[in-house]
């Protein structure tokens, strides 16, 4: 709603500027004040009309032009320095017990550096600046609403005070009432308002705040003016009544209250008031039956009296002249009186012009501009993106952020269709460290269990079938991952130097191959990450004490087929204490992510919502982006991060443990803090080449479910999807999600959830 409010405000500002500029140009040619008044009234009515029809600010091609200029720079950046990707860390690194000299190894592989701030120096500044950035729109909207409320409140206070003044000081004026009756008959008034005099310091005005309309003439004017001059004053005020200008005061009040920050509204109000006074002068000349020269003389006499005894500004609901102190406006009024022929009081042209102007303003005011091309309240059931293609063949897909609270109309079953795991019973069903799982043909599930270093196979109903890789040539050591291999086979790997093992669909061992490592020391090796549908292996290599990582694509024999360049590694700080070296990642620092995406390899970093997809030959194919507002960690967030990383102390623990914790705390407090939280957690792809991006959960704002942004195979965003709260998602098929679940007792399960994509995706492909 905040976005819509600000979009409406911006649209109304642009509309007011356009209409006011047009009316200002027209009034230089149109000399009829009533017509000019109707046009200025149209401007105020247009900004007041509720905007209910969204309209794109830019045509479809305009957004492409807006991002086209960035493509060449992006391509050069990728050639010079690509970004690295890896699985994100689940949390802060654990603190080893005192006396352990090994280096602290982070769980994540690599991440490009970001601007950081020392927690003890600038963390608060980062947090406050980011808080303002994150809440800029709500603060602007709040300031707008508070200003409107304040203006309305001050108007109500002034109105109440003026009403009380009238009740105390206003007296009926029989002599003026008789003059008003005759003038009112000439103007065609069905009911002549009551005329009052008062000794208060006011100017002649028409007052209406509900109820009956009243005309107020200061007692000073009655004493100083002769009957002819009084007739002119009364005729002018009754002309306001004839034109129903007291109703226009309500339009002014609403427009100035709603758009008090818009200078065009106030300027239009002043121009409309000037045209209003001239229109009443013309009507008053005819109604008072005075010559134009005599009326002009009476007007000058009124100005003389008002100048001798200045009076405060009239309340917003009063129809009173405001031009007496402005010599240019006074001159314009006199020129109008002397040059314009008196119209018939009952002329219908004024009503026709006013109706036409108001109808035109009404039609324009119904529209507001939105950059998304649709109502911000609508659910994102279609891809929302602008795609451009430069001469190098790189497509850039710019996606707007989905509206908060919206969801893609896909349905995930409330209960799993398959659950593997038990609290007690047969050993094959007791899972411990089920690090990965995949689904084969006929619904079979293969679970990689780290505790037994074996693959357990279950049928489509969850019944145990066999164990693969337990001993012999196919034995595993430090089992890491299992995935599908072409031909309904599977591949599993352990530590990188032990290679990748391939099994046939019946579980028979096929072969083991290693990733080629030519030209590198023995302790530097490539680690497999994922397998593409054609059997290509995505691999990365990071060397100790080196701040870069290499990303490559390998074939089914381990040979290099493409390289995606060298990318920045994870940022952090290294501590050297004697012979010990400890490395700490930046607190809330970014982590690289990567995955195979159909025939492409997608690489990104969790600090930017930008994912780069490379072809199998190593060239850049497309860049996928999504709108995001950065958010900075506060001091409390950093303190909570450090507390989670440190061991919990008990009262009965020895003093040495307490001192050890304090040493680790001081180290953590010296680690840099990322300028912003990560914008997402991780990425993965499904069986039909949709890209799933897991949204980041801010500390203290954890969701009961996992939230993902889903992109179609072309990179167009489809919307948000919720998955059940699980420990991890192994695999997303066309109609299922395979997950790991750990209950409150720590018992592990592998569960299969049904996924129905029929609610909105079929029309988009």
């Amino acid at each position: 709603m905040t976005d819509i409010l600000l979009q409406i405000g911006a649209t109304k500002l642009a509309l007011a500027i356009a209409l006011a500029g047009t009316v200002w140009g027209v009034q230089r040619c149109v000399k009829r004040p009533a017509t000019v008044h109707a046009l200025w009234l149209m401007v105020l009515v247009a900004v007041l009309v509720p905007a209910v029809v969204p309209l794109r600010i830019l045509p479809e091609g305009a957004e492409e032009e807006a991002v086209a200029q960035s493509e060449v720079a992006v391509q050069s950046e990728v050639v010079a320095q690509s970004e690295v990707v890896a699985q994100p860390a689940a949390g802060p690194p654990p603190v080893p017990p005192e006396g352990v000299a090994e280096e602290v190894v982070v769980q994540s592989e690599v991440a490009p550096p970001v601007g950081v701030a020392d927690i003890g120096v600038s963390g608060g500044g980062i947090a406050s600046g980011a808080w303002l950035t994150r809440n800029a729109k709500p603060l602007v909207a709040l300031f707008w609403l508070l200003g409107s409320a304040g203006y309305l409140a001050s108007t109500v206070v002034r109105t109440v005070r003026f009403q009380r003044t009238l009740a105390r000081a206003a007296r009926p004026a029989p002599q003026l009432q008789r003059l008003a009756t005759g003038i009112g008959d000439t103007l065609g008034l069905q009911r002549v308002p009551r005329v009052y005099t008062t000794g208060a310091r006011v100017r002649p005005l028409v007052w209406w705040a509900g109820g009956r309309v009243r005309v107020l003439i200061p007692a000073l004017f009655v004493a100083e003016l002769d009957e002819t001059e009084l007739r002119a004053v009364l005729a002018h005020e009754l002309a306001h009544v004839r034109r129903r200008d007291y109703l226009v005061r309500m339009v002014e009040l609403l427009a100035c209250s709603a758009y008090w920050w818009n200078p065009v509204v106030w300027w239009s109000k002043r121009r409309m008031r000037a045209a209003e006074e001239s229109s009443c002068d013309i009507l008053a000349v005819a109604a008072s039956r005075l010559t134009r020269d005599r009326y002009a003389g009476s007007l000058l006499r009124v100005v003389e009296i008002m100048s001798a005894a200045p009076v405060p500004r009239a309340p917003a609901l009063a129809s009173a002249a405001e031009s007496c102190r402005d010599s240019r406006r006074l001159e314009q009024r006199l020129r109008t009186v002397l040059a314009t022929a008196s119209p018939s009081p009952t002329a219908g042209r004024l009503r026709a012009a006013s109706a036409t102007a108001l109808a035109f303003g009404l039609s324009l005011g119904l529209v507001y501009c939105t950059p998304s091309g649709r109502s911000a309240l609508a659910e994102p059931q279609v891809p929302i993106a602008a795609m451009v293609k430069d001469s190098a063949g790189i497509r850039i897909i710019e996606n707007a952020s989905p509206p908060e609270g919206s969801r893609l109309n896909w349905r995930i079953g409330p209960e799993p269709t398959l659950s593997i795991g038990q609290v007690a019973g047969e050993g094959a069903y007791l899972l411990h460290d089920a690090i990965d799982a995949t689904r084969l043909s006929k619904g079979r599930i293969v679970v990689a269990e780290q505790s037994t270093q074996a693959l357990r196979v279950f049928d489509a109903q969850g019944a145990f079938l066999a164990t693969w890789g337990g001993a012999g040539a196919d034995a595993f050591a430090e089992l890491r991952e299992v995935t599908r291999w072409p031909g309904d086979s599977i591949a599993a790997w352990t530590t990188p130097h032990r290679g990748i093992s391939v099994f046939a669909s019946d579980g028979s061992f096929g072969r083991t191959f290693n990733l080629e490592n030519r030209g590198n020391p023995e302790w530097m090796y490539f680690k497999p990450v994922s397998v593409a549908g054609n059997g290509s292996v995505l691999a990365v290599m990071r060397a100790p004490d080196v701040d870069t990582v290499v990303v490559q694509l390998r074939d089914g024999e381990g040979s290099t087929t493409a390289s995606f360049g060298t990318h920045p590694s994870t940022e952090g700080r290294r501590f050297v204490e004697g012979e010990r070296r400890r490395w700490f990642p930046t607190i809330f620092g970014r982590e690289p992510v990567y995955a195979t995406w159909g025939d492409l390899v997608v690489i990104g970093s969790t600090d930017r919502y930008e994912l780069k997809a490379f072809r199998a030959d190593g060239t850049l194919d497309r860049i996928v982006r999504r709108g995001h507002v950065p958010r900075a960690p506060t001091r409390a967030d950093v303190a909570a991060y450090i507390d989670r990383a440190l061991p919990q102390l008990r009262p009965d623990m020895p003093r040495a443990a307490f001192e050890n914790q304090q040493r680790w705390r001081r180290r953590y407090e010296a680690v840099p803090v990322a300028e912003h939280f990560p914008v997402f957690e991780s990425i993965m792809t499904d069986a039909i080449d949709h890209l799933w991006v897991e949204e980041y959960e801010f500390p203290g704002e954890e969701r009961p479910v996992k939230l993902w942004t889903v992109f179609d195979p072309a990179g167009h965003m489809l919307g948000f999807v919720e998955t059940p709260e699980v420990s991890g998602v192994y695999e997303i098929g066309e109609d299922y999600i395979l997950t790991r679940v750990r209950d409150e007792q720590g018992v592990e399960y592998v569960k299969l959830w049904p996924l129905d994509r029929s609610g909105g995706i079929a029309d988009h492909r």
Side-chain angles (χ1 to χ4, degrees):
M1 293 302 295
T2 299
D3 287 340
I4 296 178
L5 179 64
L6 297 182
Q7 289 168 8
I8 290 175
T11 303
K12 295 296 187 179
L13 174 60
L15 178 62
I17 292 173
L19 290 179
T22 302
V23 174
W24 182 81
V26 169
Q27 79 169 13
R28 300 174 66 88
C29 303
V30 176
K31 303 303 181 182
R32 186 178 176 85
T35 302
V36 175
H37 178 270
L39 293 175
W40 286 116
L41 180 61
M42 173 198 66
V43 177
L44 299 184
V45 172
V47 298
L48 277 179
V49 170
V52 294
V53 181
L55 181 69
R56 288 188 64 87
I57 292 177
L58 298 173
E60 286 292 335
E63 290 182 348
E64 299 177 4
E65 292 295 327
V67 296
Q69 297 180 0
S70 65
E71 297 175 14
V72 176
V74 169
Q75 186 183 16
S76 301
E77 172 191 351
V78 172
V79 173
Q81 178 177 346
S82 300
E83 296 185 8
V84 191
V85 284
Q87 298 293 339
V95 175
E98 184 69 12
V100 178
E102 286 80 9
E103 179 180 7
V104 177
V105 181
V106 294
Q107 297 177 13
S108 58
E109 293 288 339
V110 288
V114 300
V116 298
D118 192 288
I119 178 175
V121 178
S122 58
I126 292 175
S128 60
W131 184 88
L132 289 175
T133 300
R134 186 174 68 252
N135 296 283
K137 289 182 179 180
L139 287 175
V140 170
L142 179 61
F143 184 64
W144 178 357
L145 296 177
L146 289 177
S148 298
Y151 181 81
L152 272 176
S154 64
T155 301
V156 171
V157 170
R158 293 190 64 196
T159 300
V160 171
R161 289 178 178 175
F162 192 76
Q163 287 274 50
R164 291 176 179 174
T165 300
L166 289 184
R168 291 194 309 265
R171 299 291 183 269
Q175 178 185 358
L176 297 180
Q177 190 68 54
R178 287 192 295 271
L179 290 175
T181 300
I183 296 171
D185 291 341
T186 305
L187 287 170
L189 295 176
Q190 295 182 354
R191 175 182 293 179
V192 178
R194 301 293 296 270
V195 181
Y196 294 84
T197 62
T198 179
R201 295 176 58 217
V202 296
R203 64 191 66 186
L205 56 85
V206 174
W207 178 253
W208 180 76
R212 298 189 62 178
V213 179
R214 287 177 283 182
V215 175
L216 194 64
I217 306 296
L220 179 62
F221 280 56
V222 178
E224 295 289 338
L225 300 179
D226 59 27
E227 183 175 339
T228 301
E229 293 167 340
L230 285 173
R231 285 182 62 87
V233 172
L234 283 171
H236 182 92
E237 301 308 321
L238 291 175
H240 280 296
V241 179
R242 171 67 179 82
R243 290 166 39 84
R244 294 182 174 83
D245 289 331
Y246 52 88
L247 298 178
V248 178
R249 301 291 83 80
M250 298 299 297
V251 176
E252 290 177 350
L253 175 61
L254 293 175
C256 293
S257 298
Y259 298 96
W260 57 269
W261 48 266
N262 189 341
V264 181
V265 170
W266 294 93
W267 182 66
S268 300
K269 171 190 170 183
R270 290 194 298 270
R271 304 294 299 189
M272 186 184 70
R273 283 284 187 109
E276 179 181 299
E277 294 300 317
S278 295
S279 298
C280 290
D281 286 336
I282 295 173
L283 287 174
V285 169
S288 63
R289 298 186 179 136
L290 300 176
T291 64
R292 282 177 283 173
D293 293 342
R294 188 71 180 90
Y295 183 87
S298 300
L299 179 57
L300 289 173
R301 177 63 175 145
V302 169
V303 172
E304 179 183 354
I305 296 174
M306 294 179 64
S307 300
V311 296
R313 184 179 298 273
L317 296 181
S319 296
E322 296 182 353
S323 59
C324 296
R325 300 178 184 177
D326 191 330
S327 58
R328 288 180 299 178
R329 291 190 181 181
L330 176 59
E331 180 182 356
Q332 182 61 41
R333 285 184 64 181
L334 293 173
R335 289 181 180 274
T336 301
V337 169
L338 296 174
T340 305
S342 299
S344 169
T346 58
R349 294 183 179 180
L350 175 60
R351 290 192 296 270
S354 300
T356 302
L358 291 174
F360 182 66
L362 176 66
S363 62
L364 292 179
L366 291 171
V367 176
Y368 73 93
C369 297
T370 173
S372 64
R374 60 183 175 86
S375 170
L377 295 176
E379 284 194 357
Q381 293 296 317
V382 296
I384 310 163
M387 184 177 65
V388 298
K389 188 172 184 176
D390 70 357
S391 59
I394 301 173
R395 290 178 293 173
I396 300 179
I397 301 95
E398 298 279 358
N399 295 280
S401 179
E404 188 68 25
S406 64
R407 296 293 182 267
L408 186 61
N409 193 21
W410 292 357
R411 291 180 295 276
I412 298 175
E415 298 294 334
T417 56
L418 175 66
S419 180
I420 300 172
Q422 293 179 355
V423 177
E426 188 178 344
Y429 296 95
L430 304 181
L431 302 180
H432 302 282
D433 297 326
I435 193 170
D436 200 11
T438 188
R439 191 183 192 211
L440 301 180
S441 62
K442 300 180 181 179
R444 291 177 299 163
I445 304 294
V446 180
V447 179
E449 196 187 48
Q450 206 168 35
S451 63
T452 59
Q453 295 295 311
L455 302 177
R456 297 186 186 182
V457 186
F458 300 84
D459 65 16
Q461 287 71 44
F464 175 70
L465 296 177
T467 297
W468 298 347
D474 58 346
F476 296 116
E478 300 183 45
L479 183 61
R480 298 290 179 85
E481 192 165 342
V482 62
T483 187
R484 283 177 290 186
W485 189 262
D488 201 30
S489 301
I490 66 165
W493 55 82
T494 58
T495 53
H497 61 280
R498 292 184 180 273
I500 300 174
S501 298
V502 179
F503 293 81
S505 59
D506 61 358
S508 58
F509 174 72
R511 61 190 176 95
T512 296
F513 66 93
N514 291 291
L515 300 179
E516 182 183 71
N517 197 38
R518 294 178 182 175
N520 296 315
E522 187 174 318
W523 46 268
M524 291 179 59
Y525 41 75
F526 278 88
K527 169 190 172 183
V529 175
S530 62
V531 175
N534 61 1
S536 298
V537 179
L538 181 63
V540 299
M541 180 186 68
R542 177 193 174 195
D545 298 322
V546 177
D547 61 355
T548 58
V549 67
V550 179
V551 183
Q552 292 185 351
L553 199 63
R554 303 299 185 90
D555 61 18
E557 301 299 326
S559 301
T560 303
T561 59
S563 178
F564 306 108
T566 300
H567 305 258
S569 182
T570 305
E571 57 193 347
R573 179 170 179 175
R574 187 177 303 281
F575 294 88
V576 179
E577 301 170 351
E579 296 183 356
R580 298 177 180 177
R581 295 183 303 169
R582 294 188 174 96
W583 189 87
F584 290 75
T586 295
I587 296 176
F588 298 119
R590 63 183 179 183
E591 298 289 347
V593 293
Y594 41 77
T596 54
W597 187 16
D599 296 331
L600 305 174
V601 171
V602 59
I603 301 174
S605 176
T606 59
D607 71 322
R608 292 185 63 188
Y609 224 121
E610 179 178 273
L611 300 170
K612 298 175 182 178
F614 295 85
R615 303 183 185 95
D617 60 2
T619 60
L620 183 61
D621 178 79
R622 73 190 66 158
I623 299 174
V624 179
R625 296 172 179 153
R626 204 209 81 181
H628 177 80
V629 177
R631 175 173 168 182
T634 64
R635 290 181 181 273
D637 294 328
V638 176
Y641 178 100
I642 296 175
D643 288 340
R644 289 195 303 270
L646 297 175
Q648 299 298 315
L649 295 180
R650 300 189 309 273
D652 59 342
M653 294 184 72
R655 181 177 180 82
F658 176 80
E659 294 174 349
N660 180 43
Q661 187 199 54
Q662 296 308 306
R663 282 194 295 270
W664 280 95
R665 180 178 294 277
R666 287 191 294 271
R667 292 164 184 158
Y668 270 109
E669 290 176 347
V671 174
V673 179
E675 184 177 358
H676 303 294
F677 282 113
V679 299
F680 60 86
E681 294 271 8
S682 63
I683 64 172
M684 64 186 307
T685 56
D686 63 21
I688 54 176
D689 296 336
H690 286 80
L691 181 63
W692 294 58
V693 180
E694 182 183 0
E695 295 299 305
Y696 185 75
E697 288 189 341
F698 296 104
E701 301 179 14
E702 289 77 9
R703 293 179 287 266
V705 295
K706 286 186 177 293
L707 186 64
W708 304 75
T709 299
V710 182
F711 299 83
D712 70 8
H716 299 97
M717 185 193 69
L718 299 175
F720 286 138
V721 173
E722 290 181 353
T723 60
E725 180 60 29
V726 295
S727 301
V729 176
Y730 295 131
E731 186 175 272
I732 302 177
E734 184 172 1
D735 57 359
Y736 69 87
I737 298 179
L738 187 62
T739 69
R740 176 187 184 184
V741 177
R742 186 181 299 231
D743 64 17
E744 297 178 353
Q745 287 74 39
V747 179
E748 291 185 28
Y749 300 88
V750 174
K751 295 189 177 185
L752 190 76
W753 306 79
L755 172 62
D756 182 5
R757 305 181 190 234
S758 62
I761 189 61
D763 295 337
H764 304 153
R765 300 187 61 194

